[in-house]
Amino acid sequence: MLFPLSYLIFFFFLIMGILISISSPSWFGVWIGLELNLMSFIPLISFKMNSYFSEAALKYFLIQAMGSALLISSSFLFISMTLISLSLILFSLLLKMGSAPFHFWFPQVMEGLMWPQVFLLSTVQKVAPLTLVSYLMITETLSKLTIVSAIFSAIIGALGGLNLMFLRKIIAFSSINHLSWMLIAVSMSDTFWLFYFSVYSFILLSVTSMFFKLQTFTLTSLIKSDQNSSLFPLIISLNFLSLSGLPPFTGFIPKWMLIQAMLNQSLFLPTFFLLSSALVTLYFYLRIIIPFILIFNPVMCFNSKFKSFSFMSPSIIVKSSFNFLGLLFPFYSLLL
């Protein structure tokens, strides 16, 4: 079991905090919801007595407390200096979700988490800030600030993941890069970012589930893991290719739609940076994929040091099958 049964109460308040934030009519209510969400997520990080979990929980708490303090203090200026107040609120939300240039804490916190918490931090914990950022898209200045943050996130998410051996840091910089696409989508339409976020969440669920089953945290341990199943290299490779947004996998569909929308609105410069960063991220995904495909040999001696794991388990197959829906997308296009 991922978490003790008694921790269901924390999951309940985690979701409750998100709902309070996105449905509140005032920034004070938003602040209360975010604080409830924060205090519910801390026990989920440090549910085991471990120094790494405690360090990650402390770092996460300090950063989120800083973001909450900036948000509630900025809201006091709303009546007298509206644009400055909304800009500072936007910065506080970018800090909370780990968007560039406020990304410095995100990879370090991710490094101290287990894979289920990595998935929660990369997806669930971004729902409230992204929704609140979409509420702020009422002036052209705020939209431009969001687009600038998206460009920075694309660059840093791409360059930061190069030459890394730790899978959690690679997923962290990958999340920052995907966040850039979501921020661009937020500045354009709620439908776009919700669709992109949903697809990204399903793809990341399949990737983190496999890493959790294998209990692997570095590229070396992934290469040395038990590969007795012939589906092992195939499923992981296709999942990462889908996460990179390579056609014709499912991860390409929201990027394709977003690229068309950006070109229709003449956002050529952000499109250039996002596509260039996608090419760089594809490189460090290939660094994960290529080695254990080339070295693949079921009888290699070091494989005996790892527990046997069958990728024929229904949960892994079901989660990974979502990445292959993009292969059917051309047929849907022909029917329209």
Side-chain angles (χ1 to χ4, degrees):
M1 194 170 185
L2 302 183
F3 297 97
L5 192 61
S6 59
Y7 276 62
L8 288 177
I9 186 68
F10 295 118
F11 279 105
F12 173 76
F13 284 111
L14 187 78
I15 303 301
M16 184 63 66
I18 295 174
L19 295 177
I20 291 174
S21 296
I22 64 179
S23 60
S24 175
S26 66
W27 288 111
F28 182 72
V30 167
W31 174 75
I32 291 176
L34 291 175
E35 289 301 299
L36 179 61
N37 176 264
L38 166 63
M39 301 311 294
S40 303
F41 189 63
I42 294 296
L44 297 179
I45 297 178
S46 54
F47 73 102
K48 290 183 179 179
M49 297 302 295
N50 185 294
S51 59
Y52 292 105
F53 294 160
S54 301
E55 181 183 356
L58 181 59
K59 289 179 180 177
Y60 183 76
F61 173 77
L62 292 176
I63 293 297
Q64 296 299 312
M66 184 189 305
S68 297
L70 179 59
L71 186 145
I72 194 64
S73 59
S74 303
S75 63
F76 295 152
L77 305 174
F78 185 78
I79 297 177
S80 57
M81 295 178 286
T82 303
L83 184 59
I84 295 178
S85 173
L86 293 178
S87 300
L88 291 175
I89 290 174
L90 175 62
F91 293 153
S92 69
L93 295 173
L94 294 177
L95 174 64
K96 277 184 165 293
M97 73 175 83
S99 175
F102 312 105
H103 67 285
F104 54 90
W105 62 272
F106 195 75
Q108 297 181 17
V109 171
M110 289 274 271
E111 185 65 20
L113 303 180
M114 297 293 288
W115 287 113
Q117 290 94 329
V118 167
F119 172 75
L120 291 176
L121 183 59
S122 299
T123 56
V124 177
Q125 291 301 96
K126 292 182 179 179
V127 173
L130 279 171
T131 306
L132 295 172
V133 168
S134 69
Y135 295 163
L136 293 174
M137 297 298 102
I138 55 178
T139 66
E140 187 177 356
T141 302
L142 295 174
S143 297
K144 288 182 178 179
L145 287 175
T146 305
I147 292 174
V148 169
S149 177
I151 292 174
F152 279 122
S153 298
I155 296 172
I156 291 171
L159 299 181
L162 295 175
N163 299 324
L164 288 179
M165 296 295 292
F166 299 100
L167 294 175
R168 286 173 293 190
K169 279 195 173 182
I170 292 176
I171 295 297
F173 283 106
S174 169
S175 180
I176 294 173
N177 181 263
H178 280 281
L179 185 59
S180 67
W181 292 83
M182 286 183 250
L183 287 174
I184 290 287
V186 162
S187 66
M188 295 166 53
S189 169
D190 289 340
T191 306
F192 279 139
W193 86 259
L194 285 171
F195 179 64
Y196 193 104
F197 179 81
S198 301
V199 172
Y200 171 69
S201 299
F202 279 112
I203 297 173
L204 189 64
L205 177 63
S206 63
V207 173
T208 53
S209 297
M210 285 188 294
F211 288 161
F212 178 70
K213 290 290 185 182
L214 289 170
Q215 286 299 301
T216 180
F217 299 101
T218 64
L219 187 57
T220 304
S221 62
L222 179 64
I223 295 173
K224 292 183 178 180
S225 56
D226 186 6
Q227 302 171 10
N228 289 331
S229 172
S230 59
L231 287 178
F232 178 86
L234 178 64
I235 290 182
I236 284 192
S237 301
L238 295 182
N239 283 346
F240 271 106
L241 291 177
S242 180
L243 187 64
S244 68
L246 190 72
F249 298 100
T250 307
F252 172 69
I253 298 175
K255 287 188 176 181
W256 182 24
M257 297 171 61
L258 197 53
I259 290 169
Q260 290 182 327
M262 285 191 290
L263 294 178
N264 290 336
Q265 296 192 15
S266 301
L267 296 174
F268 300 115
L269 187 62
T271 304
F272 170 76
F273 280 106
L274 264 64
L275 288 178
S276 302
S277 68
L279 186 62
V280 178
T281 55
L282 178 60
Y283 166 74
F284 64 74
Y285 289 135
L286 290 176
R287 283 185 63 245
I288 301 175
I289 297 170
I290 292 176
F292 65 83
I293 291 181
L294 296 178
I295 303 175
F296 175 62
N297 185 354
V299 296
M300 292 183 73
C301 59
F302 55 68
N303 284 343
S304 61
K305 296 187 293 183
F306 292 82
K307 294 182 180 179
S308 178
F309 173 71
S310 174
F311 268 84
M312 296 304 293
S313 62
S315 62
I316 295 295
I317 296 298
V318 169
K319 292 172 185 175
S320 299
S321 62
F322 178 80
N323 298 297
F324 313 139
L325 294 180
L327 299 173
L328 305 176
F329 189 75
F331 296 101
Y332 293 130
S333 301
L334 293 176
L335 294 176
L336 295 178

